[in-house]
Amino acid sequence: QVQLVESGGGLVPAGGSLRLSCGASGGTFNTYSIGWFRQPPGKERELVVVMGWSGGSTYYADSVKGRFTMSRANAKNTVYLHMNSLKPGDTALYYCAAAGAPPNSIYDPKEYDLWGQGTQVTVSS
């Protein structure tokens, strides 16, 4: 069974930058779209960004637009989340998630079939 594995989280000062990575291991997955969710402490999981695997459109949440950038490696087996100008409000557990078919709603975590274990991002003031 294929798994997604995130890495790159850590503690960073406000205004700093961090890059998260998400790679697949243990098999293959017919990915339609892949993206990042985050779950701040005590809050619900929310969509950060999602990208069409074919290289189509990419959606960013308003809260991160202009600060975060999602990219895909040339080999197409790894995706990244480049986070700049980090704020304390960005503190959350960040998850990589993939969908094997077009999601009915890109915002709904239940529409994504494959999830990583999460990586913690903590932004200090």
Side-chain angles (χ1 to χ4, degrees), residues 10-35:
L11 178 64
V12 61
S17 300
L18 208 59
R19 187 184 75 169
L20 307 183
S21 300
C22 173
S25 65
T28 59
F29 183 75
N30 190 17
T31 303
Y32 179 85
S33 61
I34 190 165

Side-chain angles (χ1 to χ4, degrees), residues 32 49 56 77 80 118:
Y32 179 85
V49 57
N77 58 359
Y80 304 97

